[in-house]
Protein backbone atom coordinates (compact mmCIF):
# COMPACT_ATOMS: atom_id res chain seq x y z
CA UNK A 1 0.00 0.00 0.00
CA UNK A 2 1.19 3.48 -0.87
CA UNK A 3 0.99 5.46 2.39
CA UNK A 4 0.22 9.17 2.19
CA UNK A 5 2.46 10.61 4.87
CA UNK A 6 1.10 13.80 6.42
CA UNK A 7 2.87 13.42 9.77
CA UNK A 8 5.33 16.20 9.06
CA UNK A 9 7.07 18.12 6.30
CA UNK A 10 10.27 16.41 7.50
CA UNK A 11 9.39 13.13 5.75
CA UNK A 12 10.30 14.22 2.21
CA UNK A 13 12.93 12.33 0.20
CA UNK A 14 15.42 14.10 -2.09
CA UNK A 15 14.20 14.49 -5.66
CA UNK A 16 16.38 13.35 -8.56
CA UNK A 17 17.47 16.95 -9.11
CA UNK A 18 18.40 17.36 -5.45
CA UNK A 19 20.41 14.11 -5.53
CA UNK A 20 22.18 15.48 -8.58
CA UNK A 21 23.04 18.71 -6.73
CA UNK A 22 24.41 16.62 -3.86
CA UNK A 23 26.47 14.46 -6.22
CA UNK A 24 27.87 17.54 -7.95
CA UNK A 25 28.84 19.33 -4.70
CA UNK A 26 32.53 20.07 -4.32
CA UNK A 27 33.67 18.64 -0.99
CA UNK A 28 36.26 19.54 1.65
CA UNK A 29 36.54 19.24 5.42
CA UNK A 30 34.45 21.75 7.31
CA UNK A 31 36.18 21.16 10.65
CA UNK A 32 39.50 21.94 8.99
CA UNK A 33 37.84 25.01 7.48
CA UNK A 34 37.90 24.22 3.77
CA UNK A 35 34.45 22.91 2.85
CA UNK A 36 33.61 25.01 -0.21
CA UNK A 37 29.96 24.00 -0.53
CA UNK A 38 29.23 24.54 3.17
CA UNK A 39 30.91 27.94 2.95
CA UNK A 40 28.87 28.81 -0.14
CA UNK A 41 25.68 27.82 1.68
CA UNK A 42 26.61 29.84 4.76
CA UNK A 43 27.26 32.94 2.63
CA UNK A 44 24.00 32.43 0.77
CA UNK A 45 21.88 32.09 3.92
CA UNK A 46 23.57 35.09 5.55
CA UNK A 47 22.74 37.20 2.49
CA UNK A 48 19.18 35.88 2.33
CA UNK A 49 18.53 36.82 5.96
CA UNK A 50 20.62 40.00 5.99
CA UNK A 51 22.99 38.76 8.71
CA UNK A 52 26.80 38.89 8.91
CA UNK A 53 27.39 35.18 9.32
CA UNK A 54 25.79 31.74 9.29
CA UNK A 55 26.64 28.32 10.69
CA UNK A 56 25.44 25.10 9.06
CA UNK A 57 24.27 22.57 11.68
CA UNK A 58 22.73 19.08 11.63
CA UNK A 59 19.38 20.04 13.17
CA UNK A 60 17.06 22.88 14.12
CA UNK A 61 17.30 21.77 17.72
CA UNK A 62 21.06 22.34 17.66
CA UNK A 63 20.62 25.75 15.99
CA UNK A 64 18.21 26.85 18.73
CA UNK A 65 20.36 25.45 21.51
CA UNK A 66 23.51 27.12 20.17
CA UNK A 67 21.66 30.44 20.14
CA UNK A 68 20.63 29.89 23.76
CA UNK A 69 24.12 28.80 24.80
CA UNK A 70 25.67 31.86 23.13
CA UNK A 71 23.22 34.39 24.56
CA UNK A 72 22.90 33.27 28.17
CA UNK A 73 24.71 32.27 31.34
CA UNK A 74 23.54 29.55 33.75
CA UNK A 75 20.70 30.89 35.89
CA UNK A 76 19.42 33.28 33.22
CA UNK A 77 15.82 33.20 32.16
CA UNK A 78 14.41 32.82 28.63
CA UNK A 79 10.94 33.89 27.52
CA UNK A 80 9.20 31.31 25.31
CA UNK A 81 5.57 30.84 24.37
CA UNK A 82 4.11 27.99 26.43
CA UNK A 83 3.55 25.93 23.25
CA UNK A 84 7.10 26.56 21.99
CA UNK A 85 9.18 23.92 20.22
CA UNK A 86 12.08 24.69 22.58
CA UNK A 87 9.88 23.65 25.51
CA UNK A 88 8.05 20.67 24.05
CA UNK A 89 10.43 18.99 21.63
CA UNK A 90 14.04 19.72 22.61
CA UNK A 91 14.23 17.27 25.54
CA UNK A 92 15.01 19.83 28.24
CA UNK A 93 18.12 21.07 26.44
CA UNK A 94 18.01 24.71 27.69
CA UNK A 95 18.33 23.35 31.24
CA UNK A 96 20.85 20.63 30.39
CA UNK A 97 23.13 22.54 28.01
CA UNK A 98 22.81 26.15 29.14
CA UNK A 99 21.48 25.90 32.71
CA UNK A 100 18.63 28.26 31.90
CA UNK A 101 15.22 28.83 33.39
CA UNK A 102 12.29 29.25 31.05
CA UNK A 103 9.38 31.59 31.71
CA UNK A 104 6.39 30.81 29.53
CA UNK A 105 4.27 33.44 27.80
CA UNK A 106 0.66 33.12 26.68
CA UNK A 107 -0.98 34.15 23.44
CA UNK A 108 -3.34 32.84 20.77
CA UNK A 109 -1.74 30.57 18.15
CA UNK A 110 1.74 30.87 19.64
CA UNK A 111 1.82 34.65 19.17
CA UNK A 112 2.39 36.81 22.26
CA UNK A 113 2.49 40.59 22.55
CA UNK A 114 4.75 43.33 23.91
CA UNK A 115 2.70 43.53 27.08
CA UNK A 116 3.42 39.84 27.80
CA UNK A 117 7.15 40.57 27.50
CA UNK A 118 6.87 43.65 29.70
CA UNK A 119 5.04 41.72 32.42
CA UNK A 120 7.63 38.94 32.34
CA UNK A 121 10.55 41.22 33.23
CA UNK A 122 11.38 41.01 36.93
CA UNK A 123 12.24 44.02 39.05
CA UNK A 124 15.98 44.72 39.23
CA UNK A 125 16.36 42.90 42.53
CA UNK A 126 18.96 40.31 43.54
CA UNK A 127 16.24 37.71 44.13
CA UNK A 128 15.24 37.32 40.51
CA UNK A 129 16.86 35.50 37.60
CA UNK A 130 17.87 37.99 34.90
CA UNK A 131 15.66 37.66 31.83
CA UNK A 132 18.20 37.55 29.01
CA UNK A 133 16.47 36.26 25.91
CA UNK A 134 13.16 35.96 24.08
CA UNK A 135 12.33 33.32 21.46
CA UNK A 136 9.81 33.94 18.68
CA UNK A 137 8.77 30.84 16.72
CA UNK A 138 7.78 31.62 13.12
CA UNK A 139 5.71 29.86 11.91
CA UNK A 140 4.42 28.56 15.22
CA UNK A 141 4.12 24.80 15.04
CA UNK A 142 1.78 23.86 17.93
CA UNK A 143 0.07 27.20 17.41
CA UNK A 144 -1.29 25.83 14.10
CA UNK A 145 1.48 26.81 11.68
CA UNK A 146 0.76 30.45 12.49
CA UNK A 147 2.99 33.10 10.92
CA UNK A 148 3.98 36.17 12.93
CA UNK A 149 3.00 39.44 11.24
CA UNK A 150 5.81 41.97 10.90
CA UNK A 151 3.82 44.37 13.09
CA UNK A 152 3.40 41.85 15.92
CA UNK A 153 7.08 40.95 15.83
CA UNK A 154 8.22 44.58 15.65
CA UNK A 155 6.19 45.41 18.75
CA UNK A 156 7.64 42.45 20.68
CA UNK A 157 11.16 43.25 19.48
CA UNK A 158 10.87 46.91 20.47
CA UNK A 159 9.78 45.98 23.99
CA UNK A 160 12.50 43.29 24.20
CA UNK A 161 15.19 45.81 23.21
CA UNK A 162 14.09 48.04 26.11
CA UNK A 163 15.10 45.22 28.43
CA UNK A 164 18.29 44.28 26.53
CA UNK A 165 16.97 40.85 25.61
CA UNK A 166 18.64 38.75 22.94
CA UNK A 167 15.94 38.21 20.31
CA UNK A 168 16.06 34.75 18.72
CA UNK A 169 13.76 33.67 15.92
CA UNK A 170 13.13 29.93 15.73
CA UNK A 171 12.49 30.10 12.00
CA UNK A 172 12.35 26.36 11.27
CA UNK A 173 9.52 27.36 8.89
CA UNK A 174 10.38 31.03 8.39
CA UNK A 175 10.04 30.70 4.61
CA UNK A 176 6.50 29.38 5.03
CA UNK A 177 5.72 32.57 6.96
CA UNK A 178 7.33 34.63 4.18
CA UNK A 179 5.19 32.84 1.59
CA UNK A 180 2.01 33.40 3.61
CA UNK A 181 2.48 37.06 4.56
CA UNK A 182 4.66 38.41 1.76
CA UNK A 183 7.65 39.73 3.71
CA UNK A 184 11.20 38.59 2.97
CA UNK A 185 13.33 36.58 5.38
CA UNK A 186 15.70 39.55 5.71
CA UNK A 187 12.84 41.95 6.48
CA UNK A 188 11.62 39.72 9.26
CA UNK A 189 15.14 39.05 10.56
CA UNK A 190 15.91 42.79 10.84
CA UNK A 191 14.68 42.75 14.43
CA UNK A 192 16.42 39.51 15.41
CA UNK A 193 19.86 38.95 16.94
CA UNK A 194 19.83 35.35 15.78
CA UNK A 195 17.68 33.27 13.45
CA UNK A 196 17.52 29.53 12.93
CA UNK A 197 16.11 28.03 9.74
CA UNK A 198 15.57 24.39 8.71
CA UNK A 199 16.28 22.92 5.29
CA UNK A 200 14.78 19.57 6.31
CA UNK A 201 11.19 20.83 6.68
CA UNK A 202 9.21 22.37 3.82
CA UNK A 203 12.36 22.95 1.77
CA UNK A 204 12.67 19.20 1.26
CA UNK A 205 16.27 18.44 2.30
CA UNK A 206 17.18 15.19 4.04
CA UNK A 207 19.23 16.89 6.78
CA UNK A 208 20.32 20.35 7.87
CA UNK A 209 19.58 23.66 9.52
CA UNK A 210 21.40 26.94 9.97
CA UNK A 211 21.95 29.59 12.62
CA UNK A 212 22.51 33.22 11.55
CA UNK A 213 23.67 36.28 13.44
CA UNK A 214 26.64 38.57 13.92
CA UNK A 215 30.12 37.29 13.08
CA UNK A 216 30.96 37.33 16.81
CA UNK A 217 27.89 35.25 17.71
CA UNK A 218 28.57 32.72 14.97
CA UNK A 219 32.21 32.39 16.00
CA UNK A 220 31.05 31.47 19.50
CA UNK A 221 28.37 29.14 18.11
CA UNK A 222 31.03 27.38 16.01
CA UNK A 223 32.92 26.51 19.18
CA UNK A 224 29.82 25.17 20.93
CA UNK A 225 28.79 23.22 17.82
CA UNK A 226 32.15 21.42 18.01
CA UNK A 227 31.76 20.90 21.77
CA UNK A 228 28.37 19.25 21.29
CA UNK A 229 29.57 17.00 18.48
CA UNK A 230 27.74 18.83 15.71
CA UNK A 231 30.77 19.74 13.57
CA UNK A 232 30.78 17.74 10.34
CA UNK A 233 33.37 16.91 7.68
CA UNK A 234 32.32 16.46 4.02
CA UNK A 235 29.05 18.14 4.86
CA UNK A 236 29.03 19.85 1.48
CA UNK A 237 27.04 16.80 0.45
CA UNK A 238 24.20 18.13 2.63
CA UNK A 239 24.90 21.78 1.96
CA UNK A 240 24.58 21.05 -1.77
CA UNK A 241 21.04 19.85 -1.15
CA UNK A 242 20.31 22.98 0.91
CA UNK A 243 21.60 25.32 -1.81
CA UNK A 244 19.41 23.51 -4.31
CA UNK A 245 16.43 23.83 -1.94
CA UNK A 246 16.90 27.57 -1.45
CA UNK A 247 17.05 28.07 -5.21
CA UNK A 248 14.08 25.87 -6.12
CA UNK A 249 11.85 25.06 -3.19
CA UNK A 250 11.08 28.36 -1.47
CA UNK A 251 8.81 29.57 -4.26
CA UNK A 252 6.77 26.36 -4.25
CA UNK A 253 5.83 26.55 -0.54
CA UNK A 254 2.65 28.34 -1.60
CA UNK A 255 1.56 25.05 -3.24
CA UNK A 256 1.79 23.36 0.17
CA UNK A 257 -0.29 26.16 1.68
CA UNK A 258 -2.95 25.74 -1.04
CA UNK A 259 -2.97 21.99 -0.36
CA UNK A 260 -3.43 22.61 3.37
CA UNK A 261 -6.46 24.80 2.65
CA UNK A 262 -7.75 22.10 0.30
CA UNK A 263 -7.34 19.43 2.98
CA UNK A 264 -9.02 21.65 5.60
CA UNK A 265 -12.00 22.12 3.27
CA UNK A 266 -12.31 18.34 2.88
CA UNK A 267 -11.99 17.63 6.60
CA UNK A 268 -14.58 20.32 7.40
CA UNK A 269 -17.15 18.09 5.67
CA UNK A 270 -16.29 14.93 7.63
CA UNK A 271 -18.70 14.05 10.44
CA UNK A 272 -16.92 13.74 13.79
CA UNK A 273 -13.86 15.79 12.79
CA UNK A 274 -13.68 19.52 13.56
CA UNK A 275 -11.02 21.70 11.98
CA UNK A 276 -9.54 24.35 14.28
CA UNK A 277 -9.57 27.01 11.58
CA UNK A 278 -11.71 27.60 8.53
CA UNK A 279 -9.96 26.57 5.29
CA UNK A 280 -9.47 30.19 4.17
CA UNK A 281 -7.86 30.93 7.55
CA UNK A 282 -5.46 27.98 7.36
CA UNK A 283 -2.32 30.08 7.20
CA UNK A 284 0.50 27.79 6.05
CA UNK A 285 1.09 24.07 5.60
CA UNK A 286 -0.56 22.65 8.74
CA UNK A 287 -4.11 21.52 9.43
CA UNK A 288 -5.15 20.81 13.01
CA UNK A 289 -8.43 19.10 13.78
CA UNK A 290 -10.27 17.61 16.76
CA UNK A 291 -11.66 14.10 16.90
CA UNK A 292 -15.13 13.71 18.45
CA UNK A 293 -15.17 11.35 21.49
CA UNK A 294 -17.45 8.93 19.61
CA UNK A 295 -14.54 8.28 17.19
CA UNK A 296 -12.05 7.44 19.97
CA UNK A 297 -9.03 9.49 20.99
CA UNK A 298 -6.49 11.08 18.66
CA UNK A 299 -4.05 8.20 18.98
CA UNK A 300 -6.67 5.58 18.09
CA UNK A 301 -7.91 7.66 15.17
CA UNK A 302 -4.37 8.09 13.82
CA UNK A 303 -3.75 4.34 14.13
CA UNK A 304 -6.95 3.60 12.18
CA UNK A 305 -6.03 6.18 9.54
CA UNK A 306 -2.60 4.62 9.15
CA UNK A 307 -4.08 1.15 8.62
CA UNK A 308 -6.18 2.73 5.86
CA UNK A 309 -3.18 4.43 4.24
CA UNK A 310 -2.84 7.92 5.73
CA UNK A 311 -0.26 8.83 8.35
CA UNK A 312 -1.05 11.68 10.77
CA UNK A 313 0.29 12.77 14.16
CA UNK A 314 -1.70 13.09 17.41
CA UNK A 315 -0.81 16.33 19.20
CA UNK A 316 -3.01 16.02 22.29
CA UNK A 317 -5.80 13.79 23.63
CA UNK A 318 -8.23 14.72 20.82
CA UNK A 319 -6.00 16.88 18.59
CA UNK A 320 -4.51 15.72 15.28
CA UNK A 321 -2.05 17.43 12.93
CA UNK A 322 -1.69 16.96 9.17
CA UNK A 323 1.17 18.68 7.34
CA UNK A 324 1.46 19.21 3.60
CA UNK A 325 4.82 19.11 1.81
CA UNK A 326 6.47 18.60 -1.54
CA UNK A 327 5.92 14.83 -1.59
CA UNK A 328 2.09 15.18 -1.54
CA UNK A 329 0.26 16.40 -4.62
CA UNK A 330 -3.23 17.90 -4.61
CA UNK A 331 -4.49 14.56 -5.98
CA UNK A 332 -2.93 12.79 -2.98
CA UNK A 333 -4.65 15.30 -0.68
CA UNK A 334 -8.02 14.42 -2.22
CA UNK A 335 -7.24 10.73 -1.83
CA UNK A 336 -6.16 11.23 1.82
CA UNK A 337 -9.42 13.08 2.55
CA UNK A 338 -11.42 10.17 1.09
CA UNK A 339 -9.56 7.78 3.36
CA UNK A 340 -10.16 9.95 6.46
CA UNK A 341 -13.83 10.20 5.58
CA UNK A 342 -14.10 6.39 5.37
CA UNK A 343 -12.14 5.92 8.61
CA UNK A 344 -14.39 8.38 10.47
CA UNK A 345 -17.56 6.75 9.10
CA UNK A 346 -16.38 3.28 10.15
CA UNK A 347 -15.77 4.25 13.80
C1 LIG B 1 11.35 21.02 13.48
C2 LIG B 1 11.48 22.23 14.31
C3 LIG B 1 12.71 22.57 14.90
C4 LIG B 1 13.96 21.75 14.77
O1 LIG B 1 13.79 20.41 14.78
P1 LIG B 1 14.92 19.35 14.37
O2 LIG B 1 14.12 18.12 14.23
O3 LIG B 1 15.87 19.34 15.50
O4 LIG B 1 15.56 19.80 13.11
C5 LIG B 1 12.77 23.74 15.62
N1 LIG B 1 11.70 24.53 15.75
C6 LIG B 1 10.52 24.25 15.21
C7 LIG B 1 9.38 25.19 15.35
C8 LIG B 1 10.36 23.07 14.47
O5 LIG B 1 9.17 22.78 13.92
Amino acid sequence: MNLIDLRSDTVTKPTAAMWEAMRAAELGDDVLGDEPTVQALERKVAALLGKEATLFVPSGTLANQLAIRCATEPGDEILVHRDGHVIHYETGAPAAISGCMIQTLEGEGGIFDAEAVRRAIHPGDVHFPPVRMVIVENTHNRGGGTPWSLAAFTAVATESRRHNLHIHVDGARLFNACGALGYSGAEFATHADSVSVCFSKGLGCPVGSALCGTAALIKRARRFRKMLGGAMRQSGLLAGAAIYALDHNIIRLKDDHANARRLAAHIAKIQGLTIERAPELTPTNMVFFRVAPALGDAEAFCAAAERAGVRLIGMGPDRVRAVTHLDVSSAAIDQAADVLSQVAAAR
Side-chain angles (χ1 to χ4, degrees), residues 8-10 58-64 84-86 89-90 137-142 170-173 196 198 200-201 208-209 286 321:
S8 177
D9 46 9
T10 57
S59 71
T61 296
L62 186 56
N64 285 339
H85 191 277
V86 162
Y89 303 120
E90 303 190 12
E137 184 176 319
N138 191 21
T139 64
H140 204 282
N141 181 349
R142 285 172 66 92
D170 175 354
R173 297 187 181 82
S196 56
C198 288
S200 57
K201 303 275 168 86
S209 292
M286 296 183 178
R321 187 186 79 172

Side-chain angles (χ1 to χ4, degrees), residues 311-327:
R311 304 182 92 175
L312 304 162
I313 272 192
M315 299 267 275
D318 66 342
R319 191 175 191 224
V320 176
R321 187 186 79 172
V323 184
T324 57
H325 51 76
L326 83 181
D327 285 358

